């Protein structure tokens, strides 16, 4: 069995997105999270806001009971959608009438496309970004 090598960038991203580090790294090692930044040898591993939102979605899907590989698949589909539609307001994973599942990117919350599909998991991208990108709580420095 291959040991999990500690990666500070992944650990920080997991902490911010509320995802268990060991579980995520196991998913990556199994090939279940192809949208991980910095996978090209020599490239830096930096998580931008889209990477963090996808990681957050991965963690919530795990919490909903999806398996790790399926969570990685849908999180990376959401990641690709956010790269294509950076102004997306929401993302839904919806059950289609024929029993399949699809990722729906919505730019207008007034008339969401996934509303036509009643069985869905809906993610409010603006709210997730606000949660993930807010500055960390800082305590004032102690006087010397």
């Amino acid at each position: 069995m291959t040991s999990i090598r500690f990666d500070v960038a992944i650990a920080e991203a997991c902490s911010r997105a509320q995802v268990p580090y060991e579980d995520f790294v196991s998913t990556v090692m199994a090939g279940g999270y192809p949208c991980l930044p910095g996978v090209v040898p020599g490239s830096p591993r930096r998580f931008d806001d889209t990477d963090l939102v996808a990681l957050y979605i991965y963690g919530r899907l795990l919490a909903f009971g999806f398996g790790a590989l399926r969570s990685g698949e849908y999180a990376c589909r959401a990641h690709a959608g956010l790269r294509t539609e950076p102004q997306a307001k929401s993302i839904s994973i919806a059950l289609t009438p024929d029993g399949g599942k699809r990722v729906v990117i919505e730019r207008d919350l007034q008339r969401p496309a996934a509303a036509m599909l009643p069985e869905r998991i809906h993610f409010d991208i603006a709210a997730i970004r606000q949660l993930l990108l807010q500055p960390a709580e800082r305590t004032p420095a102690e006087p010397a």
Side-chain angles (χ1 to χ4, degrees):
M1 176 177 202
T2 307
S3 65
I4 297 174
R5 193 181 118 240
F6 188 75
D7 184 309
V8 174
I10 291 176
E12 289 176 8
C14 284
S15 175
R16 182 158 271 211
Q18 305 166 17
V19 171
Y21 175 80
E22 294 82 11
D23 293 343
F24 180 65
V25 172
S26 295
T27 301
V28 169
M29 290 174 63
Y33 201 89
C35 59
L36 179 70
V39 294
V40 176
S43 66
R45 188 172 325 279
R46 293 191 181 108
F47 285 77
D48 64 18
D49 66 327
T50 300
D51 299 320
L52 285 172
V53 169
L55 185 58
Y56 180 86
I57 289 171
Y58 166 83
R60 298 302 66 79
L61 292 173
L62 287 176
F64 276 114
F66 282 67
L69 295 178
R70 184 69 66 198
S71 295
E73 174 190 348
Y74 287 124
C76 285
R77 284 188 191 182
H79 184 273
L82 287 170
R83 288 279 187 230
T84 303
E85 288 285 338
Q87 301 304 315
K89 302 294 184 202
S90 68
I91 291 179
S92 296
I93 298 169
L95 184 62
T96 60
D98 64 357
K101 293 180 186 79
R102 66 180 214 179
V103 174
V104 180
I105 310 295
E106 298 154 343
R107 293 186 80 193
D108 181 8
L109 286 179
Q110 300 298 327
R111 196 166 185 237
M116 303 300 286
L117 303 166
E119 297 171 330
R120 68 185 181 278
I121 299 172
H122 184 81
F123 296 97
D124 181 332
I125 300 305
I128 293 170
R129 282 191 169 130
Q130 184 177 1
L131 172 75
L132 295 175
L133 302 177
Q134 65 188 354
E137 293 288 321
R138 304 225 188 267
T139 57
E142 292 290 323

